[in-house]
Amino acid sequence: MSTTQSERLRGLLEPLVIARQLDLEEIEVSRAGRRRVLRVVVDSDDGVELDACAELSRAVSEKLDETDAMGEGEYVLEVSSPGADRPLTEHRHYVRATGRLARLQLREGGELVARILNADDDGLDLEVPGVKGRKPTARRVEFAEIAKARVEIEFSRKDKKEEEEA
């Protein structure tokens, strides 16, 4: 997708997304056979419900029908929320991941898997799990030290409610 088309689509669609108290995370146009696919990825601090995606999809479709932003030819519109394995790239992503386990690749080499306890303007306060029965340790990592980050999916983690009840 050309930068001009990307900017035009963002300018066209972002007001629709913001009006629904959502963040526009990504716009991508790709090819799928003879058709093009327009993927619009949205998120919010509270996550995104399926109904919100469906409502936004209808609004985006109407807006695109009114303009020539997608040009001639067929395209498929997909409106979704980011997957659980989406990279953490923006400050708001780290804030939303507070309490979750994350895999951080550090710029100076090495990898760190830790729970995000807090995200401020400069970096993260983390809890590094203990190994072989040792207690977890606290660690501070500045954003400038992070090359890549991604939330780790936990299948056996207790929900906060379950932890309080235990």
Side-chain angles (χ1 to χ4, degrees):
M1 175 169 66
S2 71
T3 304
T4 307
Q5 184 184 27
S6 175
E7 290 170 358
R8 185 169 182 206
L9 285 169
R10 182 168 285 279
L12 191 66
L13 303 181
E14 199 159 34
L16 298 174
V17 173
I18 291 171
R20 288 159 179 79
Q21 286 82 45
L22 299 171
D23 295 317
L24 180 57
E25 295 291 343
E26 184 181 345
I27 295 176
E28 177 189 350
V29 177
S30 61
R31 286 250 171 235
R34 294 186 314 209
R35 291 187 184 153
R36 290 171 297 150
V37 177
L38 170 60
R39 286 185 184 87
V40 178
V41 180
V42 296
D43 202 1
S44 80
D45 290 343
D46 301 321
V48 182
E49 300 276 328
L50 184 60
D51 289 344
C53 284
E55 178 186 323
L56 180 60
S57 180
R58 285 188 290 276
V60 166
S61 181
E62 288 174 15
K63 182 59 94 176
L64 292 174
D65 287 347
E66 294 171 5
T67 69
D68 65 344
M70 287 300 292
E72 295 297 319
E74 295 181 24
Y75 67 92
V76 175
L77 173 63
E78 295 178 2
V79 176
S80 64
S81 62
D85 61 346
R86 170 214 29 200
L88 303 174
T89 57
E90 302 282 337
H91 181 266
R92 69 177 177 264
H93 299 162
Y94 290 98
V95 171
R96 290 175 185 157
T98 299
R100 308 275 312 268
L101 201 60
R103 181 174 302 273
L104 309 173
Q105 291 182 351
L106 304 176
R107 291 195 190 282
E108 294 185 8
E111 190 172 76
L112 177 64
V113 177
R115 189 162 313 282
I116 299 173
L117 300 177
N118 184 47
D120 60 31
D121 291 340
D122 300 317
L124 304 172
D125 293 321
L126 304 170
E127 179 185 76
V128 180
V131 180
K132 296 183 181 178
R134 292 189 178 138
K135 291 188 177 191
T137 57
R139 179 161 176 191
R140 173 78 182 175
V141 175
E142 302 297 319
F143 288 123
E145 298 175 62
I146 302 171
K148 291 182 184 177
R150 186 176 302 274
V151 169
E152 287 284 287
I153 298 173
E154 297 178 84
F155 293 105
S156 61
R157 180 166 186 237
K158 289 184 178 179
D159 193 359
K160 286 182 183 178
K161 260 187 203 174
E162 291 177 36
E163 288 176 358
E164 290 171 2
E165 291 173 1

